[in-house]
């Protein structure tokens, strides 16, 4: 519980002013149930565009547990091997090669660490649109070790979509924005 607005006597200033006493306020204002984890995360995603209470990839928990995926914290164990990993973009740098072809350095993170992906021109031509998006993505590629720093040389990118439901409304709300209580409609 956060700090409440307190009156001089330590009670809730607004409860007394509005309802006459704190006890009357508790009886008049119904307690709403807490949202479950999934519903809370979906609402955060819908309202803010990202989750607030957990890592942004929390909505992809089922996808992150698929067999054959590695986590960023383990990339160093797979030097020279082909890997599959899901991450969300945190930064990108597009450059031109000596032959004036576009390529990209893409930084992503999962729930364990950040990791770097190099997308060379032949692959970049196929995946440029997805590489520029903010959506989580599956990276398939080979782990390269340059002086002890591991990066993934991209072979393929795939979009990974969060499982979303239709608009999830809080209890007591209709989709026209009016809030309904046991006392009738309150304005928008």
């Amino acid at each position: 519980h956060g700090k409440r607005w307190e009156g001089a006597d330590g009670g809730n200033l607004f409860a007394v002013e509005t309802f006459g006493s704190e006890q009357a306020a508790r009886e008049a204002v119904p307690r709403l149930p807490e949202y479950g984890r999934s519903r809370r995360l979906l609402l955060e995603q819908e309202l803010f565009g990202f989750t607030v209470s957990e890592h942004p990839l929390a909505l992809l928990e089922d996808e992150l547990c698929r067999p054959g995926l590695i986590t960023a914290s383990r990339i160093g164990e797979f030097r020279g091997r082909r890997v599959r990993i899901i991450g969300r973009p945190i930064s990108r740098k597009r450059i031109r090669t000596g032959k004036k072809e576009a390529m990209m350095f893409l930084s992503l993170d999962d729930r364990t660490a950040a990791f770097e992906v190099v997308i060379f021109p032949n692959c970049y031509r196929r995946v440029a649109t997805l590489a520029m998006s903010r959506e989580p993505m599956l990276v398939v590629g080979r782990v390269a070790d340059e002086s002890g720093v591991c990066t993934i040389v991209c072979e393929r990118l795939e979009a990974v979509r969060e499982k979303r439901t239709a608009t999830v409304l809080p209890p007591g709300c209709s989709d026209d924005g009016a809030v309904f209580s046991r006392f009738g409609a309150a304005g928008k």
Side-chain angles (χ1 to χ4, degrees):
H1 296 187
K3 180 161 176 56
R4 300 172 358 167
W5 293 96
E6 294 181 1
D9 64 352
N12 185 311
L13 176 65
F14 300 109
V16 174
E17 189 176 293
T18 307
F19 296 99
S21 73
E22 208 167 330
Q23 180 64 32
R26 276 196 283 284
E27 292 169 4
V29 179
R31 277 271 191 224
L32 296 176
E34 290 291 323
Y35 291 121
R37 178 178 178 267
S38 296
R39 188 169 185 193
R40 183 186 73 244
L41 292 172
L42 286 168
L43 283 170
E44 290 174 2
Q45 179 72 32
E46 184 175 319
L47 292 170
F48 304 118
F50 54 90
T51 58
V52 177
S53 60
E54 293 187 38
H55 190 281
L57 293 179
L59 288 169
L60 295 173
E61 213 162 61
D62 293 343
E63 291 291 321
L64 294 170
C65 295
R66 287 193 309 190
L69 289 176
I70 68 162
T71 60
S73 62
R74 296 187 57 217
I75 287 176
E77 299 172 29
F78 295 89
R79 287 174 175 84
R81 293 172 45 196
R82 190 171 197 236
V83 296
R84 296 166 34 95
I85 184 170
I86 292 176
R88 70 176 182 101
I90 53 177
S91 69
R92 58 186 60 77
K93 183 175 183 174
R94 192 172 55 174
I95 64 167
R96 298 255 174 216
T97 66
K99 295 181 179 181
K100 307 290 186 220
E101 295 178 293
M103 66 175 283
M104 180 179 281
F105 296 99
L106 180 63
S107 297
L108 298 103
D109 80 335
D110 66 7
R111 295 186 299 179
T112 66
F115 60 99
E116 304 298 321
V117 177
V118 179
I119 308 173
F120 287 113
N122 60 348
C123 183
Y124 185 74
R125 284 189 287 276
R126 295 189 318 267
V127 302
T129 302
L130 179 55
M132 293 301 293
S133 80
R134 295 180 182 201
E135 296 295 320
M137 55 190 77
L138 170 71
V139 178
V140 178
R142 197 160 300 281
V143 177
D145 182 347
E146 293 292 324
S147 304
V149 177
C150 290
T151 59
I152 299 174
V153 178
C154 184
E155 297 171 4
R156 189 175 85 230
L157 288 181
E158 293 178 19
V160 178
R161 305 269 184 241
E162 290 123 356
K163 292 177 183 157
R164 298 182 191 211
T165 61
T167 301
V168 181
L169 299 171
C173 288
S174 68
D175 42 10
D176 67 357
V179 177
F180 292 88
S181 70
R182 64 182 185 183
F183 305 111
K188 287 186 180 185

